[in-house]
Amino acid sequence: MTIEDLVEGLRLLIDAGATGHCLAAEHDVIYTAATNDVELTVTQAKRLFKLGFHRDKETESWAVFT
């Protein structure tokens, strides 16, 4: 994970509707926008996966390992 990948992923989530206080961190994971709060295109979702983001089922949010 690079800082550039993190920023690009966050920008994709913001462009898809993420707003407000939706960041949290625990151990080696950064949790971002709730999966239900953003409307991603297939292309955006594929890009997020390529950047290292994943859907965390437990927190129902997009997350990334540091």
Side-chain angles (χ1 to χ4, degrees):
M1 169 59 57
T2 67
I3 195 163
E4 293 86 2
D5 290 347
L6 177 62
V7 170
E8 183 179 345
L10 292 175
R11 175 57 52 200
L12 283 169
L13 291 166
I14 290 168
D15 291 346
T19 61
H21 301 280
C22 60
L23 287 176
E26 186 176 320
H27 303 290
D28 61 347
V29 181
I30 298 171
Y31 299 98
T32 63
T35 53
N36 293 333
D37 291 347
V38 294
E39 294 185 28
L40 295 166
T41 65
V42 172
T43 303
Q44 289 171 318
K46 285 181 180 179
R47 184 64 185 150
L48 275 176
F49 286 121
K50 188 170 183 174
L51 291 169
F53 286 74
H54 64 278
R55 291 176 185 241
D56 185 80
K57 293 177 184 176
E58 196 171 301
T59 62
E60 297 181 0
S61 65
W62 283 95
V64 64
F65 292 106
T66 58

